[in-house]
Amino acid sequence: MRTHYAVGLDFGTNSVRALVVSLKDGKECGSGVWNYAHGEAGIILESEKPHLARQHPEDYTEGIKQSVECALKEASQNKEFARDSIIGIGVDTTGSTPLPVDDRGEPLAFQAKYENNPHAFAWLWKDHTSHAEAEEITEAAAKLRPHYLKKCGGAYSSEWLWSKLLNCCRAAPEVVKDAHTWVEIADWIPAILTGTSAPAKIKRNICAAGHKAMFNPEWGGYPDVEFLGELDPALAQIRQTLPDQAVDISQAVGGLTEEWAKELGLNPGIAVAAGAFDAHLGAVGSGISPGTLVKIMGTSTCDMMVAPMDTKLPDIPGLCGIVPGSILPDCFGLEAGQSAVGDIYNWFVNHIQPGGPEKGSHEELTEGAELLSPGESGLLGLDWHNGNRTVLVDQRLTGLLIGMNLHTTPSEIYRALIESTAFGARMIMQRFEEYGNEVNEVINCGGIAMKNPLVMQIHADVTGKEMKVAQSSQTCALGAAMAGAVAAGAEAGGYDDFYEAQKNMTGVREKSYKPDPENAKVYNRLFGLYSRLHDIYGRKDYESNLYDVMKELLALSEEQRTGQGK
Amino acid sequence: MRTHYAVGLDFGTNSVRALVVSLKDGKECGSGVWNYAHGEAGIILESEKPHLARQHPEDYTEGIKQSVECALKEASQNKEFARDSIIGIGVDTTGSTPLPVDDRGEPLAFQAKYENNPHAFAWLWKDHTSHAEAEEITEAAAKLRPHYLKKCGGAYSSEWLWSKLLNCCRAAPEVVKDAHTWVEIADWIPAILTGTSAPAKIKRNICAAGHKAMFNPEWGGYPDVEFLGELDPALAQIRQTLPDQAVDISQAVGGLTEEWAKELGLNPGIAVAAGAFDAHLGAVGSGISPGTLVKIMGTSTCDMMVAPMDTKLPDIPGLCGIVPGSILPDCFGLEAGQSAVGDIYNWFVNHIQPGGPEKGSHEELTEGAELLSPGESGLLGLDWHNGNRTVLVDQRLTGLLIGMNLHTTPSEIYRALIESTAFGARMIMQRFEEYGNEVNEVINCGGIAMKNPLVMQIHADVTGKEMKVAQSSQTCALGAAMAGAVAAGAEAGGYDDFYEAQKNMTGVREKSYKPDPENAKVYNRLFGLYSRLHDIYGRKDYESNLYDVMKELLALSEEQRTGQGK
């Protein structure tokens, strides 16, 4: 039988990667990476607005061409491979990263009028200019539509769609006026590849809509016009350009256009799957299924689970989102995460390190940390240096370290920081399980999973669960390619569902990390103490007079930084 | 009128200093330092016993000769000065630093049999081998003589006399058997200078006896024979070699012997004052009087006040000691302190520093810390890296830092550490004042007071009190010389009381640190938060379920270090 292939396109924060994958066994036979050309490493910044982060959509179109060409070139060195055996394309992107487009679906950024106006560019996921608007939306929803908040952990984020659009209404009303609609790049890229980018035709994916735009079939899709109108009439107008249905990654949004087919050297008409976010397709590429937690371990983490659609799933407090079909089409997608993990280790190494880059490297600190037994340092930390996403959903929390003495070493602190993130991970697992989602298996992917055995072992010891590592080092692009294969369907040489695709195309590495029972016992004791600190400093409903300490310190800090206190 | 002089002998941890001081104006006209010859920087250590710290008494006798010779040489360059215008000698030492002597008053360490046995040497103040014995004594006193504990903050320390003697009973019973008695070096040095070192003649000073040996006139002096016998019969025997009276620094223990006079080139018969501890004579040399708090700021602090003897002074919980005549003869001496201050800054610079010794120096961190406003960093710390001496009297406490984020810098942490020690200082002042000892003036001495303006300014801003700095940079040796002058008396050209001596011989520097009202306001808010953390983590009687967190972390750490947990 002839081997078929699919292409996964993975649009990251700084670059795009194309991956050519064999549908027979998931083998990655060609890969191409193109670094975005605009701004600093692909991000347009403004020195006066430190929270602003935008991207130019030209980088996406150019990125498709460059990365696919490179990936196909590499794949072609493989004798078995032929370009016309590629039957589908899938796309994952960062998000929420929305883009204003005109009535033909062209980005405003392509107009001469807007070529230097970052408000007309794509608003990158990590743009944090919309903090006040997020609070405004949360308050309005709490008052007018409390059920909206229950599916997104109780608070609407500044990183999400409506916060960004509301901010643009104020910061650049002319952009909002000139835009016919706004599109997540996860939708815009499949749309341009299939010639469906005209506003009336463009399909919206359930992953972006459900996790970042308060879309839920329970209330008929996106938030209603009346509610959005309360926030700003322009939002109500944008709402009217949005469909009431969303698509999932098993669905093709169309076939590859003649033009793109020629440009890329692929067959026209091959299926292009609906897009989704990187973490969600990463979970697919890691082999997610009910009972399996996929942890994407990097500077922060995403912790993903799925639950069959017929599960009586309660709202789970603290989860970023519970969205039907957002990961696997026939399951609820459950998204949790930690706001900072690798970022905390990097903070210590890059900012507080002993002896400069040479002496205080991750490697050197790891060497020292490996020699320690759990609990030996007497240190215990809270991993809230960037707030707490799950389960507290509170950005206004900060780090804490307890137990220092005059002999405390950097390696001891480094290990305590790692342990604190593992305790945070256990908190999330506990929350999943408390609400009926048993964690039978944990598969890790992302940079830390592949490169940092100490972190993985500590996670195993702290959680008492075996830490497996996904076979692929490109699980997002692999998941995207799998979406292309399923969108194409079995008849075309692809798959009819993701379970079949996963069986053949995903797996875990031989090396896994099993909990050491002695260490696990000690960590159980430490987790008891961590939980106490967690609840006392993090839970408003908890009886303690320490809940407001971090808040007051933050308030004081802001007063002093802005000079309001004087 | 002819100018008279006195010599102050200051026996420190690593060296002895002799200071020749003009009694007219306190001018220091000659100084000599001699570094102890034995062990490492004067301290005899044993690698298998990390808590052991001893000194060889030969260093004291040799130290007198060398340092005085050097100081006199320097003084002699002064035309006004003549050796025979020296009318008295005072002595301050570390303590509790006791020494076993034979029936002639000779140190056992001088016998060939014991020349290599550190148990027969002086047990240096910071010898911490007697931890278990301290607990045993505290428990016994709590049961049998609770009033003993009330004058020493509720717990007997491992650094103090009876803990060390009880430890020696177990560790080296032959030494205890061969010793006729034990003598604090603060008593032994004046005794040898005056030929009164025979056990029956030797005078015991109230400062050492009262603060470290549970001596109090209220119960007739040292602890009673029956109580000590319960701990060990040998202790009861030592008790019987001790007098029921103690002397204060206004009293001469005798006149300088012909032998020593010849050796030092001084007049025989000049007054040698009773000894006292360095911190106490440092307070005298800084100008202590009722209402004036003297802070000796170094790696740790001593915070000293005096209260007139006719004051109805209640027991003050948390104070290391309340002893009549231990600082000024006609006042109660009140001693408090912080277990680590400069040590915490040094820990951060030497162990956790960024960029190695060059980039992460005290100077560089101070430069960064000076640019910050109070509260700006959002950080808050507890200064318990070495436990808490006052007011919690608990060594089993540890450091805490709260408020870190991913942008927290080393300078911010450094400043937060300084602030935490200033909050600890304010706690102590508050305790003094709560029990009727108004702090009308604060005089600082010691290395930090003279060298670190940032630390001093933060202390002023945090406490809301002006921080003055003692004129002398050798307040301990100056205080000792003043004791020599008072012991000699006005008739001999000295003084009849310390107030007269202080008026002429002590003062404060022009540069002082006044609180900035805006900063003080912010620090009041931060101190509120500090107090909450202080009580919740530090007070057993306080309603909280965090009191045991530090204890459990310490217990776990000890289990893991000793392998008992496995």
Side-chain angles (χ1 to χ4, degrees):
Chain A
M1 203 185 99
R2 188 181 174 203
T3 300
H4 292 97
Y5 296 84
V7 173
L9 285 170
D10 170 34
F11 291 84
T13 300
N14 311 110
S15 62
V16 53
R17 172 185 299 271
L19 199 66
V20 178
V21 183
S22 155
L23 304 190
K24 194 175 69 185
D25 54 10
K27 210 186 131 208
E28 296 158 11
C29 59
S31 172
V33 175
W34 187 74
N35 295 317
Y36 301 142
H38 288 78
E40 288 180 32
I43 308 174
I44 287 118
L45 305 167
E46 284 197 352
S47 54
E48 325 85 77
K49 293 184 190 153
H51 297 295
L52 184 146
R54 307 286 155 87
Q55 288 190 321
H56 199 287
E58 209 172 65
D59 281 344
Y60 306 138
T61 51
E62 186 63 22
I64 299 172
K65 295 174 198 167
Q66 301 287 347
S67 65
V68 170
E69 186 183 322
C70 172
L72 289 174
K73 211 166 156 188
E74 192 183 320
S76 300
Q77 296 174 355
N78 194 322
K79 265 192 289 178
E80 267 185 49
F81 173 79
R83 280 175 181 242
D84 66 357
S85 57
I86 290 177
I87 59 158
I89 298 175
V91 173
D92 74 83
T93 73
T94 66
S96 167
T97 304
L99 177 76
V101 297
D102 65 18
D103 52 6
R104 294 168 308 134
E106 282 285 297
L108 295 196
F110 291 171
Q111 298 178 10
K113 176 180 175 186
Y114 285 117
E115 64 184 357
N116 292 316
N117 185 343
H119 295 309
F121 298 176
W123 292 47
L124 190 61
W125 67 279
K126 67 175 180 177
D127 182 292
H128 282 129
T129 49
S130 313
H131 187 70
E133 287 75 17
E135 282 182 16
E136 199 177 330
I137 294 171
T138 301
E139 268 172 44
K143 215 169 70 184
L144 305 169
R145 305 284 188 278
H147 50 289
Y148 287 179
L149 294 179
K150 289 209 174 149
K151 302 288 179 198
C152 64
Y156 197 75
S157 162
S158 64
E159 291 185 3
W160 297 350
L161 182 75
W162 297 112
S163 302
K164 285 170 169 161
L165 300 197
L166 186 54
N167 181 294
C168 195
C169 289
R170 278 96 190 239
E174 72 287 2
V175 169
V176 175
K177 201 168 145 274
D178 284 354
H180 183 85
T181 190
W182 290 68
V183 195
E184 288 282 349
I185 61 166
D187 291 326
W188 186 72
I189 290 159
I192 58 164
L193 289 174
T194 55
T196 61
S197 63
K201 284 192 192 164
I202 200 162
K203 295 201 173 79
R204 312 286 177 152
N205 77 80
I206 181 66
C207 178
H211 286 288
K212 313 289 176 187
M214 297 198 286
F215 180 105
N216 200 298
E218 269 186 35
W219 49 80
Y222 288 100
D224 61 81
V225 168
E226 195 195 348
F227 171 71
L228 293 172
E230 285 283 326
L231 292 162
D232 196 297
L235 291 192
Q237 216 161 339
I238 296 171
R239 170 65 180 90
Q240 279 161 335
T241 66
L242 303 178
D244 291 331
Q245 304 294 324
V247 290
D248 67 49
I249 51 165
S250 69
Q251 296 171 266
V253 299
L256 191 66
T257 63
E258 290 279 353
E259 237 178 330
W260 274 105
K262 205 173 148 195
E263 175 73 46
L264 303 177
L266 297 174
N267 286 342
I270 59 170
V272 177
F277 289 146
D278 38 18
H280 297 68
L281 278 171
V284 172
S286 297
I288 199 168
S289 68
T292 294
L293 170 70
V294 172
K295 284 178 68 64
I296 301 175
M297 304 268 291
T299 52
S300 61
T301 74
C302 269
D303 295 48
M304 327 278 281
M305 290 195 80
V306 293
M309 211 75 100
D310 55 3
T311 317
K312 271 253 165 269
L313 201 65
D315 294 330
I316 308 179
L319 255 64
C320 319
I322 304 173
V323 177
S326 70
I327 300 175
L328 293 177
D330 59 347
C331 287
F332 288 105
L334 311 179
E335 187 189 341
Q338 292 173 269
S339 318
V341 173
D343 269 347
I344 298 181
Y345 320 152
N346 287 335
W347 163 72
F348 187 67
V349 167
N350 297 331
H351 291 288
I352 318 292
Q353 64 186 342
E358 276 163 39
K359 278 203 218 152
S361 64
H362 284 288
E363 291 69 22
E364 210 219 20
L365 290 167
T366 297
E367 243 174 67
E370 277 172 340
L371 299 175
L372 297 165
S373 302
E376 185 179 338
S377 70
L379 296 173
L380 179 64
L382 285 175
D383 52 323
W384 299 347
H385 296 62
N386 194 24
N388 178 292
R389 195 181 296 159
T390 313
V391 299
L392 298 169
V393 199
D394 190 348
Q395 293 209 312
R396 295 183 72 75
L397 292 171
T398 51
L400 179 147
L401 190 65
I402 192 170
M404 291 83 88
N405 61 46
L406 296 174
H407 308 288
T408 296
T409 67
S411 286
E412 288 177 331
I413 295 179
Y414 188 71
R415 185 176 176 113
L417 293 175
I418 295 173
E419 290 168 343
S420 73
T421 60
F423 293 136
R426 179 164 164 179
M427 259 312 160
I428 292 175
M429 287 183 201
Q430 210 167 273
R431 179 57 53 98
F432 275 126
E433 295 195 325
E434 279 163 2
Y435 286 80
N437 300 283
E438 200 80 32
V439 177
N440 301 319
E441 183 184 38
V442 184
I443 301 176
N444 296 272
C445 61
I448 287 179
M450 286 176 297
K451 288 183 214 155
N452 201 321
L454 176 67
V455 173
M456 297 315 294
Q457 187 59 52
I458 288 175
H459 273 70
D461 292 348
V462 163
T463 62
K465 293 187 195 284
E466 182 180 356
M467 292 289 126
K468 299 179 183 175
V469 180
Q471 184 64 58
S472 171
S473 54
Q474 300 299 337
T475 51
C476 301
L478 172 61
M482 289 163 71
V486 173
E491 231 173 88
Y495 291 100
D496 279 340
D497 69 58
F498 281 93
Y499 298 108
E500 273 302 302
Q502 282 181 332
K503 209 167 67 186
N504 293 315
M505 297 174 69
T506 68
V508 296
R509 302 183 180 199
E510 208 176 319
K511 168 76 184 155
S512 75
Y513 302 86
K514 295 192 182 63
D516 172 293
E518 288 306 317
N519 288 351
K521 243 188 277 175
V522 179
Y523 279 131
N524 278 341
R525 280 170 66 184
L526 283 170
F527 184 67
L529 298 176
Y530 175 91
S531 301
R532 247 196 270 172
L533 295 173
H534 177 278
D535 289 350
I536 283 173
Y537 285 101
R539 282 175 53 182
K540 202 173 186 170
D541 60 331
Y542 202 80
E543 269 191 46
S544 113
N545 64 356
L546 289 181
Y547 171 74
D548 57 334
V549 170
M550 289 178 183
K551 318 285 186 206
E552 285 196 28
L553 288 171
L554 282 171
L556 191 51
S557 166
E558 282 153 17
E559 275 174 37
Q560 291 295 82
R561 278 176 203 275
T562 59
Q564 285 175 10
K566 300 220 169 174
Chain B
M1 202 185 101
R2 186 182 175 204
T3 301
H4 292 98
Y5 296 84
V7 173
L9 285 170
D10 170 35
F11 291 83
T13 301
N14 312 111
S15 62
V16 53
R17 171 185 301 269
L19 197 67
V20 178
V21 183
S22 154
L23 303 190
K24 191 176 69 183
D25 54 10
K27 209 185 132 208
E28 296 158 12
C29 58
S31 171
V33 175
W34 187 73
N35 295 318
Y36 300 143
H38 288 78
E40 290 179 30
I43 308 173
I44 288 121
L45 305 167
E46 284 199 351
S47 54
E48 325 86 77
K49 292 184 191 153
H51 298 294
L52 184 145
R54 307 285 155 88
Q55 289 191 321
H56 199 288
E58 208 173 67
D59 282 342
Y60 307 137
T61 50
E62 186 63 20
I64 299 172
K65 296 176 197 164
Q66 301 287 348
S67 64
V68 170
E69 185 183 323
C70 173
L72 290 175
K73 210 167 158 188
E74 193 184 318
S76 300
Q77 296 173 356
N78 194 324
K79 269 192 288 181
E80 268 186 48
F81 172 81
R83 280 175 181 241
D84 67 357
S85 58
I86 291 177
I87 58 157
I89 298 176
V91 174
D92 73 85
T93 73
T94 67
S96 168
T97 304
L99 177 75
V101 296
D102 65 18
D103 51 6
R104 295 168 307 134
E106 281 285 296
L108 294 196
F110 291 171
Q111 298 179 9
K113 177 180 174 187
Y114 285 118
E115 65 183 357
N116 292 315
N117 186 344
H119 295 308
F121 296 178
W123 292 46
L124 190 60
W125 66 281
K126 67 176 181 176
D127 182 294
H128 282 130
T129 49
S130 312
H131 187 71
E133 286 75 15
E135 281 182 17
E136 200 178 329
I137 294 170
T138 300
E139 267 171 48
K143 217 170 68 187
L144 305 170
R145 305 285 188 276
H147 50 289
Y148 286 181
L149 294 179
K150 289 209 176 151
K151 303 285 180 202
C152 63
Y156 198 76
S157 162
S158 64
E159 290 185 4
W160 296 351
L161 180 77
W162 298 111
S163 301
K164 285 171 169 159
L165 300 197
L166 187 53
N167 180 295
C168 194
C169 289
R170 278 96 192 240
E174 72 287 4
V175 169
V176 175
K177 203 169 143 276
D178 285 355
H180 183 85
T181 189
W182 289 69
V183 196
E184 289 283 348
I185 61 166
D187 292 324
W188 185 73
I189 291 159
I192 57 165
L193 290 173
T194 55
T196 61
S197 62
K201 286 193 192 164
I202 200 161
K203 295 202 172 78
R204 313 286 177 152
N205 77 80
I206 182 65
C207 178
H211 287 288
K212 313 288 178 188
M214 296 197 289
F215 180 105
N216 200 300
E218 269 186 36
W219 49 81
Y222 289 99
D224 61 81
V225 167
E226 193 194 349
F227 171 71
L228 292 171
E230 284 285 324
L231 292 162
D232 197 295
L235 291 191
Q237 217 161 339
I238 295 170
R239 169 68 181 88
Q240 280 161 335
T241 66
L242 303 178
D244 291 331
Q245 304 294 325
V247 289
D248 66 52
I249 51 166
S250 68
Q251 296 171 267
V253 299
L256 191 67
T257 62
E258 291 278 356
E259 237 179 333
W260 273 106
K262 203 170 150 199
E263 174 71 48
L264 302 178
L266 297 174
N267 287 342
I270 60 171
V272 177
F277 289 146
D278 37 18
H280 297 68
L281 278 172
V284 172
S286 299
I288 199 168
S289 67
T292 294
L293 170 69
V294 172
K295 284 178 68 65
I296 300 175
M297 304 269 291
T299 53
S300 61
T301 74
C302 267
D303 296 48
M304 327 278 282
M305 288 195 81
V306 293
M309 211 77 100
D310 55 3
T311 316
K312 271 254 164 271
L313 201 66
D315 293 332
I316 307 179
L319 255 63
C320 318
I322 303 174
V323 177
S326 68
I327 300 174
L328 293 178
D330 59 348
C331 288
F332 287 104
L334 310 179
E335 185 189 343
Q338 292 174 268
S339 319
V341 173
D343 269 347
I344 298 181
Y345 320 152
N346 288 335
W347 162 73
F348 188 67
V349 167
N350 297 331
H351 290 288
I352 318 292
Q353 65 186 341
E358 278 164 39
K359 278 203 218 154
S361 64
H362 284 289
E363 290 72 20
E364 209 219 21
L365 291 167
T366 296
E367 243 175 67
E370 277 171 340
L371 299 175
L372 298 165
S373 300
E376 185 180 337
S377 70
L379 296 173
L380 179 66
L382 286 175
D383 51 324
W384 299 348
H385 296 63
N386 196 24
N388 177 294
R389 194 182 295 158
T390 313
V391 300
L392 297 169
V393 199
D394 190 349
Q395 293 210 312
R396 294 183 72 74
L397 291 172
T398 52
L400 179 147
L401 191 66
I402 192 169
M404 292 83 89
N405 62 46
L406 297 174
H407 308 288
T408 297
T409 67
S411 285
E412 289 177 332
I413 295 178
Y414 188 71
R415 184 174 177 114
L417 294 174
I418 294 173
E419 290 169 343
S420 73
T421 59
F423 293 135
R426 178 164 165 179
M427 258 315 158
I428 291 175
M429 288 184 199
Q430 208 168 272
R431 179 59 52 99
F432 274 126
E433 296 197 324
E434 280 163 2
Y435 285 81
N437 299 282
E438 201 80 31
V439 177
N440 301 318
E441 181 184 41
V442 184
I443 300 177
N444 296 272
C445 61
I448 287 179
M450 285 177 297
K451 288 184 213 152
N452 202 321
L454 177 67
V455 172
M456 296 316 294
Q457 187 58 53
I458 289 176
H459 274 70
D461 292 348
V462 163
T463 61
K465 292 186 196 287
E466 181 179 357
M467 292 290 125
K468 299 180 182 175
V469 179
Q471 184 64 56
S472 169
S473 54
Q474 300 299 337
T475 51
C476 302
L478 172 61
M482 288 163 70
V486 173
E491 232 172 88
Y495 292 99
D496 279 340
D497 67 59
F498 282 93
Y499 298 108
E500 273 301 304
Q502 283 180 332
K503 210 168 63 183
N504 293 314
M505 298 175 69
T506 67
V508 296
R509 301 183 181 200
E510 206 176 320
K511 167 78 185 156
S512 76
Y513 302 85
K514 295 192 181 64
D516 171 293
E518 288 306 316
N519 288 351
K521 244 188 274 176
V522 179
Y523 279 131
N524 277 341
R525 281 170 66 184
L526 283 169
F527 183 67
L529 298 176
Y530 175 91
S531 300
R532 248 196 270 173
L533 294 173
H534 177 278
D535 289 349
I536 284 175
Y537 286 100
R539 282 175 54 182
K540 204 175 185 169
D541 59 332
Y542 202 81
E543 268 191 47
S544 116
N545 63 356
L546 289 181
Y547 172 73
D548 56 334
V549 170
M550 289 177 183
K551 319 285 186 206
E552 285 196 27
L553 288 171
L554 282 170
L556 191 52
S557 167
E558 281 154 16
E559 277 176 35
Q560 292 295 83
R561 279 176 201 274
T562 58
Q564 284 176 9
K566 299 222 169 172

